[in-house]
Amino acid sequence: MSDRSYRKILLTGAAGQLGRYLRPQMAALWPLRSSDIADLGRAHANEECVRCDLADRAAVDALVADCDAIVHFGGISVEAEFDALLAANIAGTYNVFGAARRHGVRRVVYASSNHVIGFYGRGERIDADAPVRPDTLYGVSKAYGEALGRYYADKFGLEIACLRIGTAAERPAAMRQLSTWLSHPDLLRLIRACLNAPRFGFAIVYGQSANDRGWWDNAKAAPIGFDPHDNAEVFAETILRAGPPVDPDDPAVKFQGGDFAAAGYVQR
Ligand code: NAI
Ligand code: 15L
């Protein structure tokens, strides 16, 4: 694949679990500005590192200057108190999209989450048009990010790809992840597809490998051209042999969001 050229790509959340994987991979493809509120360690070749709190609008504005694409992975990645989500995910994403518009950024790849649709049942196959059913306030904050992205795309012509990532990890570790797994190489393939695709406007793409047990239909994201190579099924035998017996009435089993949906769930 030959990659489209960008002057500089900003990666937020670069000190996080996925950011640490992505940094050297992305810096090998494009000039990279990596940012996080946490310490970023040493810069890789072709990378500059900038500490920044996404909730600080002026700092984010300066961070985005000179970049023509953003891979926005920063923020709180699990359920949290509303005020923490308000600063990092709600204000933070507003600051990133607003700065993108002001600085003429062409494309934003936004890390949304499967927890935007976590209250669908595991037997349901859904696509990008399924109404949101967030399973946590975290999922609500990601649904807000998607809505904000749609607004910036429709009103101002920014190109925004929202990745409803399942479970991005080196390997699947539990039964649910046989459906939700996104391998690290497939995550990179997905980001490259979003950055290389011809003009698409706005897209919601499920971030999943080519899992036999997948729940999500990416047909509506065809213009992005994401072609995952990995399949969680190769781990199925080991995971199913080691796992505890499954209770289909357990909300953590019943809903796609798993433990996120089950936490605090009121049985009815
Ligand atoms: P992570 O929690 O390891 O990394 C997130 C990074 O964002 C951290 O390094 C943190 O310091 C940074 N951050 C938090 N608040 C910030 C702020 N106010 N200003 C600047 N930086 C801030 O999460 P991970 O696993 O790397 O995920 C990356 C993104 O992908 C997150 O947005 C997450 O919600 C999303 N995602 C991840 C999934 C996964 O399976 N890992 C699944 C679905 C979505
Ligand atoms: C997410 O959104 C989280 O960021 C990640 O830590 C995982 O829990 C993932 O979803 C998942 O659903 O497995």
Side-chain angles (χ1 to χ4, degrees):
M1 184 199 299
S2 85
D3 288 281
R4 187 166 163 183
S5 73
Y6 284 97
R7 194 169 58 239
K8 184 159 289 186
I9 296 187
L10 169 65
L11 171 66
T12 69
Q17 191 219 137
L18 302 184
R20 288 195 300 275
Y21 165 74
L22 290 170
R23 282 171 60 185
Q25 307 286 341
M26 289 180 62
L29 298 169
W30 304 280
L32 186 67
R33 178 174 295 159
S34 291
S35 179
D36 205 291
I37 198 170
D39 180 30
L40 288 146
R42 282 164 65 102
H44 298 273
N46 209 28
E47 180 193 40
E48 58 174 308
C49 293
V50 182
R51 292 256 315 248
C52 175
D53 181 352
L54 292 168
D56 179 339
R57 191 163 307 153
V60 171
D61 196 76
L63 182 70
V64 169
D66 307 326
C67 295
D68 49 358
I70 301 177
V71 175
H72 176 38
F73 271 46
I76 293 174
S77 61
V78 291
E79 182 60 319
E81 292 295 326
F82 178 73
D83 287 342
L85 292 164
L86 181 61
N89 292 13
I90 304 283
T93 300
Y94 174 74
N95 292 341
V96 169
F97 286 1
R101 179 190 168 209
R102 284 189 295 277
H103 289 283
V105 168
R106 285 145 66 190
R107 214 162 259 197
V108 181
V109 180
Y110 167 61
S112 181
S113 168
N114 72 89
H115 296 291
V116 161
I117 44 81
F119 266 128
Y120 282 92
R122 293 214 186 164
E124 295 178 89
R125 188 161 170 80
I126 56 171
D127 69 12
D129 289 343
V132 297
R133 295 186 73 175
D135 59 20
T136 41
L137 285 176
Y138 161 66
V140 171
S141 77
K142 292 293 186 179
Y144 154 86
E146 291 185 359
L148 193 70
R150 178 105 237 187
Y151 166 70
Y152 272 88
D154 285 345
K155 187 154 264 190
F156 307 118
L158 267 77
E159 291 208 276
I160 316 257
C162 298
L163 314 183
R164 286 189 182 162
I165 302 171
T167 307
E170 237 167 78
R171 49 165 54 213
M175 193 184 84
R176 172 177 175 271
Q177 296 173 15
L178 296 176
S179 303
T180 61
W181 187 52
L182 175 67
S183 72
H184 283 166
D186 280 343
L187 170 65
L188 183 65
R189 282 184 193 102
L190 176 55
I191 291 171
R192 288 175 77 179
C194 292
L195 291 170
N196 289 329
R199 189 164 177 83
F200 58 84
F202 177 83
I204 288 175
V205 195
Y206 287 94
Q208 59 186 342
S209 285
N211 304 324
D212 288 357
R213 301 175 198 231
W215 301 316
W216 306 315
D217 175 358
N218 258 337
K220 296 211 167 88
I224 299 290
F226 172 45
D227 178 23
H229 291 191
D230 296 315
N231 186 339
E233 205 57 25
V234 300
F235 301 96
E237 208 187 308
T238 320
I239 287 174
L240 296 176
R241 201 178 332 113
V246 168
D247 170 6
D249 292 327
D250 178 349
V253 171
K254 204 158 126 186
F255 299 116
Q256 296 189 0
D259 291 339
F260 281 53
Y265 176 71
V266 178
Q267 202 78 41
R268 61 200 59 104

